[in-house]
């Protein structure tokens, strides 16, 4: 089986090359992202392996079909960048890595929370310049504050486990809640601690000092953080988004930042990230005014989609992706298939 990898970086080679060789796969690494202009580069391959900012839209699906590609191996969990209906029509199998290290993302989300709350990013820059003033760096104790976890899947649950020790009030929102929590089953308390409570999204917005987003990007969740939802939030609230940039309307966020609505914002994702993230653009002129403005707010930390990036997660991503390819090659059950 020949696999064409797109949007690859040196660390992808490190993890994938030895595992793929061991299993006898013929692989080719392209640095280009998959899109309608680059899809032809997969000619001769049986499958393409893509990441979060590759674009597998309908035009790409048609090209892949034309050149004989039979499968898309997502080396990530999210699949909002794949036209699943067109994949089905074109007989292209889509497989993903549903879970690699939820803890990696949850730990990072908390890292962003700690950093924006206590202004560690600003303190770091100051002391590098021998400026030891702490004016403007005051944060708040997290103990006793209310945190809202939006999306209680694998990463949301990892968040719930880690924050047990912080003695916060934890409110949850998910249209598909965890039964054990709803029914106050003792097993839930054992696993995630006391006092967890599902509420509606409005209550999350109104009552939380901190809101952390852990749901996928879908038609329903796109722009769930917009001018109306922001207006319901507490003044001085902290927003953390490690899920997908499209959950937040950037323009509305910028408007709110301009009137000092937020105490802090920690973003590992950005709705236009595919033009910038994972690339060294330090010598380039950044053409997105929104990105420049976001980066300029001192109470915002913006990182380039690195919450997943631990060695444990990379190893798991490579293992599961290669396992998916093996199942395909051997005609075995495709446990990680993604259907429309
Ligand atoms: P998951 O599928 O285990 O959980 C997602 C949860 O969101 C589910 O419980 C689902 O019911 C819930 N949900 C669906 N619609 C919702 C809505 N309208 N409001 C609230 N909740 C809703 O997924 P996961 O593994 O926990 O990952 C969550 C997201 O994190 C992924 O979709 C992906 O976008 C993102 N992610 C980011 C990184 C990163 O490096 N920054 C890494 C991995 C995943």
């Amino acid at each position: 089986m020949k696999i064409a990898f797109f949007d690859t970086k040196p660390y992808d080679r490190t993890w994938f090359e030895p595992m793929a060789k061991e299993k006898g796969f013929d692989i080719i690494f392209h640095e280009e992202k998959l899109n309608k202009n680059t899809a032809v580069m997969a000619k001769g391959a049986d499958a393409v392996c893509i990441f979060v900012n590759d674009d597998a839209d309908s035009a790409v699906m048609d090209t892949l079909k034309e050149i004989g590609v039979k499968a898309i191996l997502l080396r990530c969990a999210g699949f909002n960048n794949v036209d699943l209906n067109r994949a089905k029509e074109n007989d292209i199998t889509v497989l993903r890595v549903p879970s690699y290290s939820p803890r990696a993302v949850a730990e990072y989300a908390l890292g962003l929370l700690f950093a924006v709350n206590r202004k560690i990013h600003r303190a770091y820059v100051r002391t590098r310049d021998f400026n030891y003033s702490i004016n403007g760096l005051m944060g708040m104790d997290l103990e006793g504050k209310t945190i809202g976890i939006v999306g209680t899947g694998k990463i949301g649950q990892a968040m719930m486990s880690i924050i047990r020790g912080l003695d916060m009030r934890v409110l949850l929102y998910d249209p598909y809640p965890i039964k054990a929590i709803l029914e106050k089953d003792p097993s839930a308390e054992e696993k995630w601690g006391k006092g967890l409570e599902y509420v509606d999204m409005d209550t999350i917005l109104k009552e939380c000092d901190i809101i952390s987003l852990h749901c996928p990007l879908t038609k329903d969740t796109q722009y769930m953080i917009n001018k109306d939802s922001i207006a319901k939030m507490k003044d001085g609230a902290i927003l953390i988004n490690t899920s997908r940039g499209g959950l937040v309307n950037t323009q509305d966020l910028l408007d709110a930042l301009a009137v000092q609505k937020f105490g802090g914002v920690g973003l590992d994702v950005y709705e236009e990230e595919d033009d910038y993230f994972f690339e060294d653009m330090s010598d380039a002129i950044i053409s997105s005014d929104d990105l420049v403005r976001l980066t300029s707010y001192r109470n915002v930390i913006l990182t380039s989609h690195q919450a997943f990036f631990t060695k444990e997660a990379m190893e798991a991503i490579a293992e599961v992706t290669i396992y998916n390819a093996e199942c395909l090659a051997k005609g075995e059950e495709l446990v990680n298939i993604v259907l429309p």
Side-chain angles (χ1 to χ4, degrees):
M1 185 180 202
K2 187 168 176 181
I3 310 170
F5 279 63
F6 283 83
D7 198 13
T8 56
K9 296 284 181 285
Y11 46 83
D12 293 306
R13 284 176 182 259
T14 307
W15 291 100
F16 278 98
E17 209 156 25
M19 280 191 208
K21 268 195 186 146
E22 195 193 310
K23 301 286 179 187
F25 291 118
D26 180 7
I27 53 176
I28 174 159
F29 290 104
H30 295 300
E31 284 178 16
E32 290 77 4
K33 289 190 179 73
L34 179 71
N35 57 42
K36 64 178 184 319
N37 301 319
T38 61
V40 286
M41 292 167 75
K43 197 165 181 179
D46 305 289
V48 292
C49 181
I50 65 170
F51 195 46
V52 291
N53 290 327
D54 290 289
D55 188 3
D57 64 8
S58 56
V60 169
M61 289 296 176
D62 291 349
T63 306
L64 294 181
K65 185 187 175 179
E66 250 174 67
I67 60 177
V69 172
K70 292 270 173 242
I72 293 182
L73 302 166
L74 284 157
R75 51 180 196 278
C76 55
F79 47 86
N80 52 287
N81 51 341
V82 179
D83 186 332
L84 293 174
N85 289 315
R86 191 60 74 98
K88 193 174 173 213
E89 281 164 31
N90 289 0
D91 257 338
I92 294 175
T93 307
V94 182
L95 294 152
R96 67 173 181 140
V97 182
S99 171
Y100 33 94
S101 177
R103 287 296 280 235
V105 182
E107 285 172 12
Y108 193 84
L110 272 172
L112 285 177
L113 167 58
F114 285 131
V116 285
N117 175 34
R118 303 300 301 271
K119 287 124 180 121
I120 296 171
H121 56 303
R122 295 186 61 196
Y124 172 77
V125 173
R126 279 190 195 182
T127 54
R128 299 273 294 178
D129 199 27
F130 306 103
N131 173 357
Y132 301 110
S133 158
I134 62 168
N135 281 333
L137 301 186
M138 193 168 67
M140 62 179 173
D141 281 15
L142 294 179
E143 182 184 14
K145 298 296 182 302
T146 303
I147 183 168
I149 297 181
V150 179
T152 55
K154 291 175 286 293
I155 296 170
Q157 287 174 44
M159 268 300 262
M160 283 146 61
S161 301
I162 305 173
I163 58 178
R164 283 186 75 157
L166 296 179
D167 297 322
M168 301 178 80
R169 177 179 173 229
V170 183
L171 299 182
L172 311 171
Y173 172 70
D174 194 311
Y176 305 97
I178 299 167
K179 215 166 143 225
I181 296 178
L182 278 182
E183 292 174 354
K184 303 203 183 313
D185 189 304
S187 67
E189 192 175 309
E190 215 169 277
K191 201 164 174 189
W192 297 298
K194 283 185 188 161
L196 296 171
E197 192 187 342
Y198 275 105
V199 294
D200 58 23
M201 190 61 195
D202 260 17
T203 308
I204 294 268
L205 294 167
K206 284 181 194 147
E207 295 194 12
C208 290
D209 303 289
I210 297 134
I211 295 178
S212 192
L213 305 178
H214 299 290
C215 55
L217 176 61
T218 63
K219 278 194 205 99
D220 293 335
T221 61
Q222 187 174 27
Y223 289 166
M224 70 194 309
I225 301 299
N226 56 39
K227 70 173 183 329
D228 296 331
S229 50
I230 291 171
K232 291 176 187 165
M233 288 168 71
K234 283 187 176 181
D235 290 341
I238 291 178
L239 174 70
I240 305 294
N241 185 10
T242 54
S243 283
R244 284 292 181 266
L247 299 179
V248 178
N249 182 315
T250 306
Q251 204 51 60
D252 293 351
L253 178 68
L254 284 166
D255 291 347
L257 282 163
V259 295
Q260 298 179 36
K261 172 78 185 178
F262 287 101
V265 175
L267 305 172
D268 186 47
V269 285
Y270 164 62
E271 61 172 318
E272 305 293 337
E273 69 178 52
D274 42 344
D275 292 335
Y276 304 96
F277 282 17
F278 306 122
E279 305 301 328
D280 178 0
M281 309 218 36
S282 52
D283 281 334
I285 301 289
I286 301 296
S287 55
S288 160
D289 287 350
D290 284 357
L291 183 57
V292 173
R293 276 180 71 205
L294 255 187
T295 313
S296 74
Y297 279 105
R298 279 164 299 181
N299 58 346
V300 174
I301 296 183
L302 174 79
T303 57
S304 60
H305 209 134
Q306 67 172 81
F308 73 98
F309 200 38
T310 63
K311 62 182 192 311
E312 291 80 2
M314 285 302 291
E315 188 171 14
I317 288 170
E319 267 172 14
V320 177
T321 306
I322 297 296
Y323 166 78
N324 288 341
E326 259 193 303
C327 293
L328 260 180
K330 293 183 181 165
E332 287 173 1
E333 190 193 354
L334 302 173
V335 286
N336 294 322
I337 196 164
V338 194
L339 297 168

